[in-house]
Amino acid sequence: MQRYFIYLAYDGTAYHGWQIQPNGTSVQACLMKALSTLLRREVDVVGAGRTDAGVHASLMVAHFDSDAPLDPVLMADKLNRLLPPDISVYRLRAVKQDAHARFDATARTYRYYVTTVKTPFNRQYRCRLFQTPDFERMNEAAQILFDYTDFTSFSKLHTDVKTNNCRIMQAGWTQQDESTWVFTIRADRFLRNMVRAIVGTLLEVGRGKLSVEGFRQVIEQRDRCRAGTSVPGNALFLVDVAYPEEIFVSD
């Protein structure tokens, strides 16, 4: 058996998230169906994580096993011919047999996009703000994230994870153009709904409804009810997943 990592992108608008759902279309199911068709057997696919309904990925990674070595370029081309237009495979990379797309990931990076103007061409990929928040204060609050590892306050309730600890490596807002701002956050792992809850709480700081010190208190209280409302998923993108180079087999 040879294990491969698939690097792919998808527009999450039409999907109920990455993970297979009993009553909805998922990205994982589409990818498994295409691989099973090409390899002529049932193929399991394991993703680096699971994005929620409507969330996008400009780079997601998943792994699967093949009975025989594959031509990565040819296989990527065949997959793209079978997959729907809103899912695209960038490349395949051979990895060691025990490599795991989820457990071997050392960091994941998300970006959340907000805009202060109404534009019909990006309504699916931006969160519209009706007043311009104080991004400087929001960045000041975002720096507090580096002081903590327990982010229970930003986690969806009743999840099956054993710990709510995460190590945040990057967090901050940058201006993309006159009306668009981007929040970039990078961590070793993320909790369910974590990025959207952090952004929603930072926006309360930017609107003057929560002080910078109040943001710190939200984290310390470890209570989801103390944090802000989660922002919509349509403006959230998974943009990178990092791995140690030693898990890859030479191309």
Side-chain angles (χ1 to χ4, degrees):
M1 299 289 285
Q2 175 61 61
R3 179 159 291 184
Y4 289 91
F5 275 14
I6 302 180
Y7 289 75
L8 69 150
Y10 52 85
D11 180 328
T13 304
Y15 299 96
H16 291 251
W18 160 265
Q19 192 171 19
I20 290 177
Q21 304 291 329
N23 299 308
T25 306
S26 70
V27 179
Q28 185 183 27
C30 288
L31 188 57
M32 287 173 61
K33 180 180 179 181
L35 280 167
S36 298
T37 299
L38 291 174
L39 298 181
R40 299 181 181 180
R41 63 175 178 83
E42 291 296 316
V43 178
D44 288 327
V45 173
V46 178
R50 52 187 184 188
T51 53
D52 292 336
V55 175
H56 318 289
S58 58
L59 193 149
M60 166 64 97
V61 183
H63 78 247
F64 74 98
D65 293 325
S66 173
D67 294 330
L70 302 171
D71 181 326
V73 176
L74 182 60
M75 192 64 179
D77 181 64
K78 288 182 176 180
L79 281 169
N80 280 325
R81 292 170 186 268
L82 279 180
L83 288 166
D86 49 10
I87 304 176
S88 176
V89 172
Y90 294 133
R91 66 185 299 203
L92 273 68
R93 291 191 71 181
V95 295
K96 294 178 179 178
Q97 191 54 43
D98 61 350
H100 198 285
R102 178 183 174 190
F103 298 135
D104 284 332
T106 57
R108 298 162 176 83
T109 306
Y110 282 89
R111 288 188 183 136
Y112 195 87
Y113 293 82
V114 299
T115 181
T116 56
V117 300
K118 181 180 179 180
T119 306
F121 306 111
N122 65 12
R123 68 190 186 281
Q124 287 182 302
Y125 312 108
R126 302 288 185 270
C127 175
R128 169 83 186 283
L129 304 180
F130 293 92
Q131 63 182 67
T132 303
D134 187 334
F135 286 100
E136 186 175 341
R137 291 183 73 242
M138 289 159 65
N139 269 333
E140 185 181 349
Q143 297 309 298
I144 295 173
L145 293 167
F146 299 118
D147 296 340
Y148 298 90
T149 55
D150 188 331
F151 294 103
T152 301
S153 293
F154 302 126
S155 172
K156 187 174 182 179
L157 298 175
H158 311 302
T159 62
D160 55 1
V161 298
K162 295 179 180 179
T163 174
N164 287 334
N165 289 353
C166 308
R167 183 170 62 91
I168 294 180
M169 310 163 190
Q170 177 185 1
W173 292 89
T174 55
Q175 189 167 11
Q176 188 177 59
D177 56 41
E178 187 175 331
S179 59
T180 304
W181 287 76
V182 186
F183 180 67
T184 303
I185 185 166
R186 179 180 175 89
D188 60 345
R189 63 190 290 263
F190 287 92
L191 307 172
R192 291 283 304 278
N193 205 234
M194 178 174 165
V195 180
R196 292 162 59 195
I198 288 175
V199 172
T201 310
L202 287 174
L203 284 171
E204 290 201 350
V205 174
R207 292 164 177 155
K209 296 181 179 180
L210 184 68
S211 68
V212 172
E213 186 57 32
F215 184 80
R216 181 184 296 278
Q217 292 171 5
V218 166
I219 299 174
E220 292 182 348
Q221 287 169 334
R222 300 177 186 177
D223 182 350
R224 178 65 186 90
C225 296
R226 301 292 182 180
T229 303
S230 295
V231 287
N234 68 293
L236 181 60
F237 288 76
L238 173 63
V239 300
D240 189 48
V241 186
Y243 295 94
E245 195 59 35
E246 57 264 25
I247 72 172
F248 296 99
V249 176
S250 298
D251 292 332

